[in-house]
Amino acid sequence: MSSASFSTDVYLDRLSRVRAAMEERGVDVVLLSVGHDLPYVTGYLAMPLERLTMLVLPLRGDATMVIPRLEAPRVVEQPGAFGLLPWGETEDPVELVAKLVGGAQSVAVGDQMWARFLVDLLPKLPSARFSRAVDVVGPLRARKDAAEVAALTAAGAAADRVAAQLHAGEIPLIGRTEAAVSADISARLIAEGHDIVNFAIVAAGENAASPHHHAGDRVIMRDEVVLCDFGGTMNGYCSDITRCVYTGSAPTTEIADAYAVLHASNAAGYEAGRIGNDCQDVDRAARKVIDGAGFGDYFIHRTGHGIGMEAHEDPYMVEGNAQPLAAGHAFSVEPGIYLSGRWGMRLEDIVVATDDGPVLLNHADRSLVTVEA
Amino acid sequence: MSSASFSTDVYLDRLSRVRAAMEERGVDVVLLSVGHDLPYVTGYLAMPLERLTMLVLPLRGDATMVIPRLEAPRVVEQPGAFGLLPWGETEDPVELVAKLVGGAQSVAVGDQMWARFLVDLLPKLPSARFSRAVDVVGPLRARKDAAEVAALTAAGAAADRVAAQLHAGEIPLIGRTEAAVSADISARLIAEGHDIVNFAIVAAGENAASPHHHAGDRVIMRDEVVLCDFGGTMNGYCSDITRCVYTGSAPTTEIADAYAVLHASNAAGYEAGRIGNDCQDVDRAARKVIDGAGFGDYFIHRTGHGIGMEAHEDPYMVEGNAQPLAAGHAFSVEPGIYLSGRWGMRLEDIVVATDDGPVLLNHADRSLVTVEA
């Protein structure tokens, strides 16, 4: 739905680069369904429903999009890129896909394709070896071109404006529930230009120690950390930012000292986001600061994830990922410190690796701002 | 996120019925990830992210939920129903799942599980036969109990209130874009009690001939059909309703006559929604009316889908589905007539099959109401 649209030339170029990657990896055919690999190469985002939409993309020969007949009118055709094969309500789309795959041996399937369709394909393609299409398409999607960086920059600026409203006290906190503040932030993301809101985590006090806390009925009080992690999709590209604020008055020394460590960790991760480093170097740099301050056991997740058409995508900033950073890699740097049952904090920006070093896409105040209301 | 919560007894009972269905179908282990089979048996809806959450449910022995460590605090534990196995950021969760599956031969996987995880499991479970968990859990989920019917009834009533606002002219149409009306309807679904909006199709004039049209920049004019198909999730259960209105003045004879056929088709589908009939009988009854009026080629989709925790789920009202209707089956009846490039119309209600005959969950005016503004 909220998918970027480019000229046909862009899709033809991307398809050509996908085919080059297929050849390099020995992949005969790529199958793309729900998820964002499909719009990356066709401009069309499949509806996540039980009716199968699937692009059958062979190394050589024409690509075909198998699509429910009633959804076919939604597709903007890209001449030369792919053909449409609409199926009727009483046909078996998996059979159509299997015929198009034919005798192909090495079949790469999209990450988020529903497993039911792969289960149905297995007996129809008994000699096929299956692999993950993300290994073919992911490295291409990970390197954003200028238009994509511009879209991410615009989405980041819109999220920054909401963060600034939070800092300015325009989003009242004390006495409201997390859920009410989450709805307020969501409305502001839309008002600032996002097409959809992907998440708006609001976690107060002890709830902030659960990194993916779902905003609930907990009422925000004075003198606590409120963690706000929010983002949406704007013109097909995502924002994602985390800022913590302190309610009522100045934070305690314990909180202020921990936050200083967090802030330094975020800065170290950003600095490490440069060409010549691996993805895991970003994680190591951010983690080293937190480890050094004695909070290592309380930083319980990786430092970041790639971002683009999806809020989470390749490359991941995690120990064990030795993939070298390249120009156009866009990713989050989001260290956190979580003391179970007490408090939590996280500081997140989006960074793009460029030939001139890391570039921040978020500029909202990174300090632990006190919000009085 | 928007998942119903029941007492632990409800989940224990459902797990016991799933195991009985597994035994009947010769399934050794069920794997449930994203999608709604997981919350049906545990109360927990997995986050649709690249970090794997998966319930490993063996026919005998304890069920285990493999879950990212940072998401584990989100789970409401149900003592006796399942254990938690949190995994850290540098562990391989697929390996953990494979160990739990062990030597099981017949493995049923959840419909919406990401294919990437099945691709990763295939080489780790070389002797397993894979099937679809929906064939085990789906028939149980399809038969709603009293609490579930009550939730669907409440969601339907909330959607009806928005339809009534549309009919009353409280949602201005003429001169606004489809997208603006869609946003208006979405806000009203929330105001009437839905937790999330799943879709709000608004399709004017020729756009209504595309059944899954995405509301866009098209400005609504006088003297045309506007098709509105909307629904959301409220306390974990879905609404889904379609009403068409005519703008400005009375519809043309062509439109009025076609709508009379549509209305009769909807009524025939509802009447056929009774125990003793098969699912396909609902489709046949609705289609017969449209065929008889000469519009058969323009009714290009099945008549309906099951509804519950998901907007589309088993059972489907489609030719070829000879499954007998049973008490507690909840489904849509939504015939349509679509003249490509000219106009389209659809009339949709939710119906529950009961021992006392079909019961409508929508009561909004079914006529083609004229909206003057």
Side-chain angles (χ1 to χ4, degrees):
Chain A
M1 311 281 186
S2 179
S3 188
S5 57
F6 298 101
S7 71
T8 300
D9 286 349
V10 169
Y11 299 114
L12 290 172
D13 174 59
R14 289 175 178 176
L15 282 166
S16 146
R17 286 187 287 128
V18 168
R19 285 191 164 104
M22 289 168 69
E23 181 135 41
E24 198 176 306
R25 302 184 68 90
V27 169
D28 299 325
V29 62
V30 164
L31 302 179
L32 301 178
S33 179
V34 294
H36 285 77
D37 287 343
L38 179 61
Y40 183 72
V41 295
T42 66
Y44 183 70
L45 183 65
M47 299 186 76
L49 293 175
E50 70 289 350
R51 291 185 182 97
L52 179 65
T53 297
M54 192 174 284
L55 182 75
V56 181
L57 171 61
L59 178 58
R60 291 182 184 82
D62 296 334
T64 304
M65 191 186 294
V66 173
I67 186 165
R69 179 158 291 144
L70 76 169
E71 292 167 17
R74 297 166 47 92
V75 180
V76 177
E77 298 199 46
Q78 307 291 345
F82 59 91
L84 284 184
L85 179 54
W87 57 273
E89 294 279 71
T90 56
E91 290 183 271
D92 176 5
V94 175
E95 190 65 42
L96 298 177
V97 169
K99 279 186 185 152
L100 288 165
V101 172
Q105 297 294 302
S106 171
V107 179
V109 302
D111 258 25
Q112 298 173 33
M113 170 179 156
W114 286 14
R116 74 180 286 169
F117 299 116
L118 182 51
V119 166
D120 289 346
L121 267 174
L122 291 175
K124 294 182 195 289
L125 300 172
S127 63
R129 298 184 314 280
F130 291 92
S131 62
R132 293 169 15 169
V134 69
D135 297 329
V136 176
V137 187
L140 304 176
R141 271 180 58 192
R143 294 190 63 166
K144 274 70 184 176
D145 66 22
E148 293 181 290
V149 171
L152 286 167
T153 302
D160 277 351
R161 292 195 292 275
V162 178
Q165 293 161 18
L166 174 69
H167 284 148
E170 294 170 24
I171 303 173
L173 299 173
I174 299 169
R176 292 174 94 192
T177 63
E178 295 169 342
V181 174
S182 175
D184 194 338
I185 288 174
S186 296
R188 288 165 188 265
L189 283 168
I190 298 294
E192 294 297 342
H194 287 84
D195 299 305
I196 55 171
V197 175
N198 292 324
F199 49 84
I201 297 171
V202 175
E206 73 290 348
N207 283 346
S210 170
H212 278 176
H213 176 69
H214 179 54
D217 294 334
R218 162 79 151 78
V219 173
I220 297 169
M221 297 181 291
R222 273 183 69 89
D223 298 314
E224 60 184 9
V225 174
V226 180
L227 184 157
C228 302
D229 181 352
F230 48 90
T233 306
M234 185 165 138
N235 297 319
Y237 285 79
C238 294
S239 65
D240 188 358
I241 186 172
T242 307
R243 289 295 183 268
C244 292
V245 294
Y246 200 81
T247 51
S249 57
T252 62
T253 305
E254 181 197 23
I255 296 288
D257 288 353
Y259 194 86
V261 172
L262 181 71
H263 196 160
S265 168
N266 168 284
Y270 155 69
E271 282 294 340
R274 57 184 63 248
I275 296 164
N277 278 346
D278 294 341
C279 291
Q280 65 188 353
D281 291 327
V282 174
D283 185 79
R284 288 172 180 174
R287 198 167 301 277
K288 187 178 175 187
V289 174
I290 290 179
D291 279 350
F295 288 115
D297 289 345
Y298 308 103
F299 178 14
I300 56 177
H301 56 71
R302 66 190 176 207
T303 294
H305 53 79
I307 186 168
M309 301 169 78
E310 288 179 278
H312 288 190
E313 60 181 44
D314 279 332
Y316 294 95
M317 306 296 126
V318 61
E319 180 65 34
N321 186 0
Q323 184 185 356
L325 283 170
H329 276 166
F331 52 88
S332 70
V333 173
E334 50 177 311
I337 302 175
Y338 309 95
L339 269 70
S340 185
R342 297 192 56 218
W343 52 261
M345 51 179 65
R346 179 163 68 250
L347 179 58
E348 174 183 27
D349 296 302
I350 303 303
V351 175
V352 181
T354 78
D355 291 329
D356 301 323
V359 172
L360 282 161
L361 299 192
N362 294 107
H363 304 282
D365 190 339
R366 283 182 196 83
S367 63
L368 182 64
V369 173
T370 294
V371 173
E372 293 180 10
Chain B
M1 309 285 187
S2 178
S3 190
S5 57
F6 297 101
S7 71
T8 299
D9 286 349
V10 169
Y11 299 114
L12 290 172
D13 174 59
R14 290 175 178 178
L15 282 166
S16 144
R17 287 187 289 128
V18 167
R19 285 191 166 104
M22 289 167 68
E23 181 136 42
E24 198 176 307
R25 302 183 67 89
V27 169
D28 299 325
V29 62
V30 163
L31 302 179
L32 301 178
S33 179
V34 293
H36 285 76
D37 287 342
L38 180 61
Y40 183 72
V41 295
T42 65
Y44 183 70
L45 182 65
M47 299 186 76
L49 293 175
E50 70 289 351
R51 292 183 181 99
L52 179 64
T53 297
M54 193 174 285
L55 183 76
V56 180
L57 172 60
L59 177 59
R60 292 183 182 82
D62 295 334
T64 305
M65 192 187 293
V66 174
I67 187 164
R69 179 157 292 144
L70 76 168
E71 292 166 17
R74 298 165 48 91
V75 180
V76 177
E77 298 199 46
Q78 308 290 347
F82 59 90
L84 284 183
L85 179 54
W87 58 273
E89 294 279 71
T90 57
E91 290 183 272
D92 176 4
V94 175
E95 190 65 42
L96 297 177
V97 169
K99 279 185 186 153
L100 289 165
V101 172
Q105 297 292 303
S106 172
V107 179
V109 302
D111 257 26
Q112 297 174 34
M113 169 180 156
W114 286 14
R116 75 180 287 167
F117 298 116
L118 181 51
V119 166
D120 289 347
L121 267 174
L122 291 175
K124 294 183 196 289
L125 300 173
S127 63
R129 296 184 315 280
F130 291 91
S131 61
R132 293 167 18 168
V134 69
D135 297 329
V136 176
V137 186
L140 304 176
R141 272 180 59 192
R143 294 190 62 164
K144 274 69 184 177
D145 66 22
E148 293 181 290
V149 171
L152 285 168
T153 302
D160 277 350
R161 292 194 292 274
V162 178
Q165 292 161 19
L166 175 69
H167 284 148
E170 293 170 23
I171 303 174
L173 299 173
I174 299 170
R176 292 174 93 193
T177 63
E178 295 169 342
V181 174
S182 175
D184 195 339
I185 288 173
S186 297
R188 288 166 188 266
L189 284 168
I190 298 294
E192 293 297 343
H194 287 84
D195 299 306
I196 54 171
V197 175
N198 293 324
F199 49 84
I201 297 172
V202 175
E206 72 290 347
N207 284 345
S210 171
H212 278 175
H213 176 68
H214 179 52
D217 294 335
R218 162 79 150 77
V219 174
I220 297 169
M221 298 180 292
R222 273 183 69 89
D223 298 315
E224 59 185 8
V225 174
V226 181
L227 183 158
C228 301
D229 180 352
F230 49 90
T233 307
M234 185 165 137
N235 297 320
Y237 285 79
C238 293
S239 65
D240 189 357
I241 186 173
T242 307
R243 290 295 183 267
C244 292
V245 295
Y246 200 80
T247 52
S249 56
T252 61
T253 305
E254 181 197 24
I255 297 288
D257 288 353
Y259 194 86
V261 171
L262 181 71
H263 195 159
S265 169
N266 168 285
Y270 155 69
E271 282 294 340
R274 59 183 64 247
I275 297 165
N277 278 344
D278 295 342
C279 291
Q280 65 188 353
D281 291 327
V282 174
D283 185 79
R284 288 173 180 174
R287 198 167 301 276
K288 187 178 175 187
V289 174
I290 291 180
D291 279 349
F295 287 115
D297 289 346
Y298 307 104
F299 177 14
I300 56 177
H301 56 70
R302 66 189 177 209
T303 294
H305 53 80
I307 187 168
M309 302 169 77
E310 288 180 278
H312 289 190
E313 61 182 45
D314 280 333
Y316 294 96
M317 305 297 124
V318 62
E319 179 65 35
N321 186 0
Q323 184 184 355
L325 282 170
H329 277 165
F331 53 89
S332 71
V333 173
E334 49 176 313
I337 303 175
Y338 309 95
L339 269 71
S340 183
R342 297 191 57 219
W343 51 261
M345 50 179 64
R346 181 164 66 252
L347 178 57
E348 176 182 25
D349 297 302
I350 303 304
V351 175
V352 182
T354 78
D355 292 328
D356 302 321
V359 172
L360 282 161
L361 298 193
N362 294 107
H363 304 282
D365 190 340
R366 281 180 198 85
S367 63
L368 182 64
V369 172
T370 294
V371 173
E372 293 180 10

